[in-house]
Amino acid sequence: MDKNINQLGALALALTDRIKKSLKETYDRSGESAAAIIVIGYVQGLSVEVLRQVLSLSHPGTVRLIDRLAEDDLVERRKAKDGRAVALHLTDKGLELRQLLMKNRLDVIEASVQNFTIKERETFFKLISKALKNLPESEMAKHQICRLCDTRYCEDCPIPGNAV
């Protein structure tokens, strides 16, 4: 059992490293920049506070991140409905980059299972879904886990809760 758990940890780390590398190659900014683009695209008009929580950043860190994204013409700030907050929206350039980031992430993951048979894939992904149900400890944890997901493929998300 310990060998298998250890190998699962190695797989998770290898995929994480490769996904981070792919995101960095696609959009050469540090930290959670790519994740911010993806998360803002889930809900156009997302608040800085919700983005901060999903990315587990400080408020000043989130504002600096948004400043960089705005400088790159990927995000624009608009007045929120209540007038007190800022609503974040992706520009057309931001939407295009978001699609590319999500595609490249999926390509990295796909490469790790490319030699699986159809039956092996079905079994593997059923077990992943079962394991994912055990992970979130709060509603915000679901958003944090799913912050890079391409929700077009998540009609039947195994993680309980609501998307951002």
Side-chain angles (χ1 to χ4, degrees), residues 24 29-35 65 68:
K24 181 94 166 128
R29 286 286 194 167
S30 62
E32 291 288 332
S33 298
L65 171 60
R68 288 191 304 270

Short mmCIF file of all heavy atoms in Angstrom, two decimals, residues 24 29-35 65 68:
data_model
loop_
_atom_site.label_atom_id
_atom_site.label_comp_id
_atom_site.label_asym_id
_atom_site.label_seq_id
_atom_site.Cartn_x
_atom_site.Cartn_y
_atom_site.Cartn_z
N LYS A 24 3.20 28.43 -17.67
CA LYS A 24 4.24 29.46 -17.74
C LYS A 24 4.70 29.65 -19.19
O LYS A 24 4.96 30.78 -19.61
CB LYS A 24 5.42 29.05 -16.85
CG LYS A 24 6.56 30.02 -16.82
CD LYS A 24 6.41 30.98 -15.68
CE LYS A 24 7.71 31.72 -15.46
NZ LYS A 24 7.52 33.14 -15.43
N ARG A 29 4.02 34.74 -16.97
CA ARG A 29 3.90 35.54 -15.75
C ARG A 29 3.97 34.58 -14.58
O ARG A 29 3.60 33.42 -14.67
CB ARG A 29 2.58 36.30 -15.70
CG ARG A 29 2.48 37.48 -16.62
CD ARG A 29 3.29 38.63 -16.14
NE ARG A 29 2.93 39.86 -16.83
CZ ARG A 29 3.31 41.05 -16.44
NH1 ARG A 29 4.04 41.20 -15.37
NH2 ARG A 29 2.94 42.11 -17.13
N SER A 30 4.41 35.09 -13.46
CA SER A 30 4.63 34.23 -12.30
C SER A 30 3.37 34.06 -11.45
O SER A 30 2.35 34.69 -11.70
CB SER A 30 5.75 34.82 -11.43
OG SER A 30 5.34 36.10 -10.98
N GLY A 31 3.51 33.21 -10.47
CA GLY A 31 2.47 33.01 -9.46
C GLY A 31 1.18 32.46 -10.03
O GLY A 31 1.18 31.58 -10.87
N GLU A 32 0.09 33.03 -9.58
CA GLU A 32 -1.24 32.54 -9.94
C GLU A 32 -1.86 33.30 -11.11
O GLU A 32 -3.08 33.33 -11.25
CB GLU A 32 -2.15 32.62 -8.70
CG GLU A 32 -1.80 31.64 -7.61
CD GLU A 32 -2.14 30.20 -7.98
OE1 GLU A 32 -3.08 29.98 -8.77
OE2 GLU A 32 -1.47 29.30 -7.47
N SER A 33 -1.03 33.90 -11.94
CA SER A 33 -1.55 34.70 -13.07
C SER A 33 -2.45 33.88 -13.99
O SER A 33 -3.56 34.32 -14.32
CB SER A 33 -0.40 35.30 -13.87
OG SER A 33 0.36 36.16 -13.08
N ALA A 34 -1.98 32.71 -14.40
CA ALA A 34 -2.78 31.88 -15.30
C ALA A 34 -4.07 31.43 -14.62
O ALA A 34 -5.14 31.46 -15.22
CB ALA A 34 -1.97 30.67 -15.76
N ALA A 35 -3.96 31.04 -13.36
CA ALA A 35 -5.16 30.62 -12.63
C ALA A 35 -6.15 31.77 -12.52
O ALA A 35 -7.36 31.56 -12.64
CB ALA A 35 -4.78 30.10 -11.24
N LEU A 65 -1.70 41.47 -8.78
CA LEU A 65 -1.91 40.49 -9.85
C LEU A 65 -2.87 41.05 -10.90
O LEU A 65 -2.60 40.98 -12.10
CB LEU A 65 -2.46 39.19 -9.26
CG LEU A 65 -2.92 38.12 -10.23
CD1 LEU A 65 -1.80 37.66 -11.14
CD2 LEU A 65 -3.49 36.93 -9.47
N ARG A 68 -1.18 43.59 -13.11
CA ARG A 68 -0.36 42.98 -14.17
C ARG A 68 -1.24 42.47 -15.31
O ARG A 68 -0.91 42.64 -16.49
CB ARG A 68 0.49 41.85 -13.61
CG ARG A 68 1.64 42.32 -12.73
CD ARG A 68 2.61 41.21 -12.40
NE ARG A 68 2.01 40.04 -11.78
CZ ARG A 68 1.87 39.86 -10.47
NH1 ARG A 68 2.26 40.79 -9.63
NH2 ARG A 68 1.32 38.75 -10.00
#
